[in-house]
Amino acid sequence: MRINKYLAHKGYCTRRGADELIASGKVFLNGVPAVLGDKIEQHDAVEVRNALPQSFVYLAYYKPRGIVTHGAQGNEKEIADLIRVRDPKLEVFPVGRLDKNSHGLILLTNDGRIVEPLLSPDRPHEKEYVVTVNERLRSDFADTMAAGVNIGGYTTKPCTVKRVSRNVFRITLTEGKNHQIKRMASALGYTVTDLKRVRIMNVTLRRLHPGTYRYIKGDTLTTLLQQLHVHEEAR
């Protein structure tokens, strides 16, 4: 693991912040000043000297359609581009992803500690979506999808599905296979025309509009960190 990723994972700062600390000579690897690109092995000792820990920030962000989560190419724009326009001093990264043409809730933070517990397939955290398909839903659709669907050699785990209208349903997953909802719908003969994520664990989209965010704090933050087994007092 690269040393900047290691420091971010430990919750000390973002990768970009780690690069700055390394460049300023404040990070030591086995007692020797670290250099950009150093890799960490299990037995290595990493120390940050003469630098205050970064304050942790947690945001609920509404990712608009047409924006990639990260890794923009060509003329594409990613979440970080929009955040820099709104607040150039706010340095956060997205946890997880949403497809370019999907929209809705994504969590942004500078706390690397929450990445693994939030994204690990071994931790069945709920994520809720509102999905529109191209045709009227059959009467048995919700029960069939909730029971699990074969999406090419893999049967999805049981989930919660509720029909909202003739071609709209809500689905709550505890797993996150690649393009899972679109593949599940396709296996049942439907094409997804709109996919919106409205909840991640206890954090909801609420009244956010595309491209806007709010700080996660108070009881909501406490509950989120407790469910992720991350200590809030370390902020």
Side-chain angles (χ1 to χ4, degrees), residues 24-191:
S24 64
K26 295 180 179 179
V27 181
F28 291 77
L29 177 59
N30 299 320
V32 177
V35 297
L36 295 174
D38 272 347
K39 292 187 177 181
I40 305 299
E41 303 295 340
Q42 188 173 3
H43 62 275
D44 287 331
V46 178
E47 182 182 2
V48 180
R49 302 177 186 174
N50 302 318
L52 294 175
Q54 185 173 356
S55 296
F56 293 141
V57 174
Y58 310 87
L59 306 178
Y61 177 75
Y62 190 146
K63 186 193 88 67
R65 294 185 188 90
I67 301 298
V68 298
T69 304
H70 48 67
Q73 299 180 358
N75 294 325
E76 291 180 332
K77 289 189 176 182
E78 60 185 81
I79 291 174
D81 297 327
L82 303 188
I83 291 293
R84 280 193 289 268
V85 171
R86 292 180 61 89
D87 187 347
K89 296 181 179 179
L90 184 58
E91 186 179 337
V92 291
F93 56 84
V95 183
R97 63 186 298 273
L98 272 175
D99 294 340
K100 181 177 180 179
N101 292 323
S102 299
H103 59 121
L105 179 65
I106 191 165
L107 303 186
L108 308 180
T109 187
N110 57 0
D111 185 357
R113 301 172 304 164
I114 75 170
V115 176
E116 191 279 332
L118 185 61
L119 302 182
S120 172
D122 298 326
R123 311 232 186 152
H125 301 310
E126 289 189 348
K127 297 181 179 68
E128 184 176 358
Y129 303 80
V130 176
V131 186
T132 303
V133 294
N134 62 324
E135 296 181 8
R136 185 183 187 92
L137 298 170
R138 295 186 294 270
S139 59
D140 64 345
F141 171 83
D143 291 340
T144 301
M145 180 167 269
V149 179
N150 188 304
I151 54 173
Y154 175 81
T155 299
T156 59
K157 294 179 181 179
C159 59
T160 301
V161 180
K162 181 179 180 180
R163 181 172 174 169
V164 176
S165 65
R166 65 180 301 277
N167 65 330
V168 179
F169 64 94
R170 300 179 79 98
I171 181 170
T172 301
L173 301 177
T174 56
E175 60 180 343
K177 299 297 181 181
N178 192 33
H179 303 299
Q180 180 171 337
I181 296 174
K182 293 179 180 179
R183 293 164 67 191
M184 292 173 72
S186 177
L188 298 182
Y190 300 92
T191 298

